[in-house]
Amino acid sequence: MDALLVVLKFFESILTKPAWIMGLFSFVGLVALKRPAHKIMTGTLKPILGYLMLSAGAGLIQTNLAPLGTFIETGFHIQGVVPNNEVIVSMAQTVLGVQTMVILILGYVVNILVARFTKFKYIFLTGHHSLFMACLLSAVLQASGFTDVPLVITGGLFLGLVSAMLPAVGQHFTEKVTEGDEIAMGHFGSLAYYISAAVGSIFKKDAEENSTEKIEVPESLAFLRDTTISTGLTMAFFYLLTGIVAWVVDPAVVDELAGGDNFIVYALTCALSFAVGVTIVYNGVRMILADLVPAFQGISNKLIPGAIPAVDCAVFFPYAPTAVILGFVASFIGGVVGMFIVGATMGVFIIPGMVPHFFCGATAGIFGNATGGRKGAALGAFVNGLLITFAPALLLPVLSVFGFQNTTFGDFDFGVIGITLGRTAAAFGPAGVYVILAILLVVAFIPNFIKTKSPVINHTPEEE
């Protein structure tokens, strides 16, 4: 039993690290293409290094978003539930660790099999999100009456199917964002991004002319075209505004947070460090795409015809840097509005978490911009802010059986899947969950037997 746990832990360590997953798939693809040894080495290492750079930038962003959240909570006296994927997963691992690991491994196997034998050709590479989804599935299924082997097999099937199928749902929107680059969305906030793109399409007539990336800047303000500078100045405004309000309300909290530094200097340092994190993310993304996408041709041509990598939401940031900031702000505003609506109707305050509103809001802004320009970016991200407030609130009762009252999953897909499975099981028992699983399996294989030109389904090269 101990040896089995060691093996499971090893695979978990690989499969929860997107850097190693990307390196592994790049290696397999380059070997399939029969590249020389030195190109296999560099082509394997660069996606790993690129994702480690992306992770370092994301870590810097998260570290410097934390004080902003404290400023807001202190200055405006907001208390309630803060959705956070990492927190709830760390709590759940104490009671669901083994089940989560097994579901994660089975999920990857099922994802590859679905990509190989159906028209859903997406390989989900965002390992930490796969871990989060495996944890959610283990919690919801156990609360629904599943145990032991049925629990992990059902969870693994669900994870593999949604990993392959969710990227397909909005691939036509993703292609608008990337302008044809062969990547897909591999992030479990995806449904909110696709909804944001659909909302943004209200302004589709003005989309191209009024893109966030075509905002005209006077010559005297040309320095704002530098993404690092414009991000730093924008965030400095928010940090100073909230920091000053928090200091007026409770200077002790702010001074303690600043660790003896002047709180204004501290706020500005956080804002500029945030901008540095964004720049590191952009550079990491460029390194990933430069080698991962070409390497995937080997997998596509030799192993899984038509395979497309589904990657983290941050990979899409360089496609519309201005929409990143606009999306974050609009999503946060939507989160504040949603917080008061949920508080009035459900009796619980879902405090806008800086991390989900930045990463998910920014991505929603990018997708809204692709279909509706700057208006689409603003409205789409605002809707995202509402969605990632209502979904965590509705998911809370489903997770309460494990005592997770003070936090919940933050991204939209977790809420949709958790609520759907939890409510179905409450009404119909495990049989209801099996019906949903059967429906997903049927939907996955239907395109194998019908001819369609739908952009949702990827065709193999031979069919094109």
Side-chain angles (χ1 to χ4, degrees):
M1 187 63 180
D2 290 340
L4 177 60
L5 287 176
V6 170
V7 172
L8 289 175
K9 195 66 180 177
F10 171 79
F11 281 109
E12 182 197 31
S13 297
I14 295 292
L15 296 177
T16 56
K17 304 294 189 299
W20 291 105
I21 297 170
M22 289 182 179
L24 178 61
F25 275 97
S26 293
F27 174 80
V28 172
L30 292 168
V31 170
L33 288 172
K34 298 181 179 179
R35 293 288 187 260
H38 69 281
K39 289 191 175 181
I40 292 176
M41 181 187 70
T42 57
T44 300
L45 284 176
K46 282 187 176 180
I48 294 174
L49 294 171
Y51 198 89
L52 291 175
M53 188 182 295
L54 185 155
S55 297
L60 195 57
I61 290 170
Q62 291 187 43
T63 298
N64 289 284
L65 278 174
L68 182 60
T70 302
F71 289 161
I72 292 171
E73 290 180 37
T74 303
F76 298 94
H77 294 295
I78 300 173
Q79 292 184 336
V81 175
V82 181
N84 187 293
N85 299 330
E86 288 80 4
V87 170
I88 192 167
V89 168
S90 65
M91 292 169 60
Q93 287 306 293
T94 60
V95 292
L96 300 168
V98 175
Q99 296 94 324
T100 297
M101 283 192 287
V102 177
I103 289 173
L104 178 69
I105 294 168
L106 288 178
Y108 265 103
V109 173
V110 173
N111 183 185
I112 292 170
L113 291 175
V114 170
R116 176 63 182 86
F117 295 108
T118 79
K119 298 295 181 70
F120 292 92
K121 299 297 182 181
Y122 304 93
I123 305 295
F124 197 97
L125 298 181
T126 312
H128 64 291
H129 258 234
S130 296
L131 172 66
F132 298 162
M133 184 60 76
C135 183
L136 171 74
L137 289 168
S138 63
V140 172
L141 291 174
Q142 188 163 322
S144 302
F146 286 83
T147 58
D148 302 327
V149 175
L151 186 150
V152 295
I153 291 179
T154 304
L157 286 170
F158 264 113
L159 178 59
L161 286 165
V162 299
S163 296
M165 297 171 73
L166 280 179
V169 173
Q171 183 63 9
H172 55 301
F173 292 132
T174 303
E175 289 176 353
K176 284 182 176 291
V177 171
T178 65
E179 296 183 351
D181 286 354
E182 293 187 355
I183 59 174
M185 176 57 68
H187 193 264
F188 288 126
S190 62
L191 294 176
Y193 310 147
Y194 306 151
I195 292 171
S196 299
V199 169
S201 65
I202 295 171
F203 308 104
K204 62 183 177 182
K205 290 184 179 179
D206 304 321
E208 189 171 345
E209 295 79 7
N210 292 306
S211 168
T212 56
E213 309 315 301
K214 292 185 178 180
I215 294 176
E216 295 185 5
V217 179
E219 186 62 31
S220 60
L221 299 176
F223 62 89
L224 292 175
R225 293 188 182 279
D226 185 310
T227 303
T228 306
I229 297 294
S230 59
T231 301
L233 290 175
T234 301
M235 298 310 295
F237 170 78
F238 285 106
Y239 277 82
L240 285 175
L241 175 63
T242 57
I244 290 170
V245 172
W247 187 83
V248 170
V249 172
D250 193 341
V253 172
V254 177
D255 289 340
E256 182 181 356
L257 192 64
D261 290 341
N262 177 274
F263 80 93
I264 291 178
V265 174
Y266 174 74
L268 288 173
T269 302
C270 289
L272 298 181
S273 298
F274 176 96
V276 171
V278 172
T279 301
I280 294 172
V281 166
Y282 289 160
N283 289 328
V285 167
R286 293 187 184 99
M287 187 178 288
I288 291 169
L289 295 181
D291 287 272
L292 178 66
V293 174
F296 241 78
Q297 292 176 357
I299 295 175
S300 178
N301 294 340
K302 305 291 184 180
L303 305 175
I304 305 174
I308 292 180
V311 294
D312 199 350
C313 67
V315 173
F316 296 86
F317 287 7
Y319 289 101
T322 305
V324 167
I325 301 302
L326 177 58
F328 168 47
V329 174
S331 180
F332 181 76
I333 293 171
V336 172
V337 172
M339 177 183 67
F340 288 110
I341 295 174
V342 170
T345 57
M346 299 178 61
V348 58
F349 279 100
I350 301 295
I351 298 174
M354 294 295 103
V355 172
H357 279 286
F358 176 72
F359 287 99
C360 297
T363 311
I366 293 168
F367 273 68
N369 176 66
T371 57
R374 63 196 72 163
K375 292 180 181 177
L379 183 58
F382 178 83
V383 170
N384 172 82
L386 293 175
L387 292 174
I388 63 173
T389 303
F390 286 108
L394 293 170
L395 184 59
L396 272 173
V398 177
L399 298 175
S400 63
V401 67
F402 289 100
F404 305 147
Q405 283 92 2
N406 296 321
T407 188
T408 180
F409 287 91
D411 301 347
F412 188 60
D413 295 1
F414 296 114
V416 171
I417 292 172
I419 293 164
T420 301
L421 293 180
R423 296 295 171 86
T424 300
F428 304 104
V433 175
Y434 285 130
V435 169
I436 295 175
L437 181 59
I439 291 171
L440 286 177
L441 285 167
V442 170
V443 171
F445 282 94
I446 279 179
N448 285 24
F449 305 102
I450 62 174
K451 290 185 178 291
T452 175
K453 294 183 178 180
S454 169
V456 170
I457 308 300
N458 280 278
H459 301 286
T460 60
E462 289 79 13
E463 290 173 317
E464 294 176 345

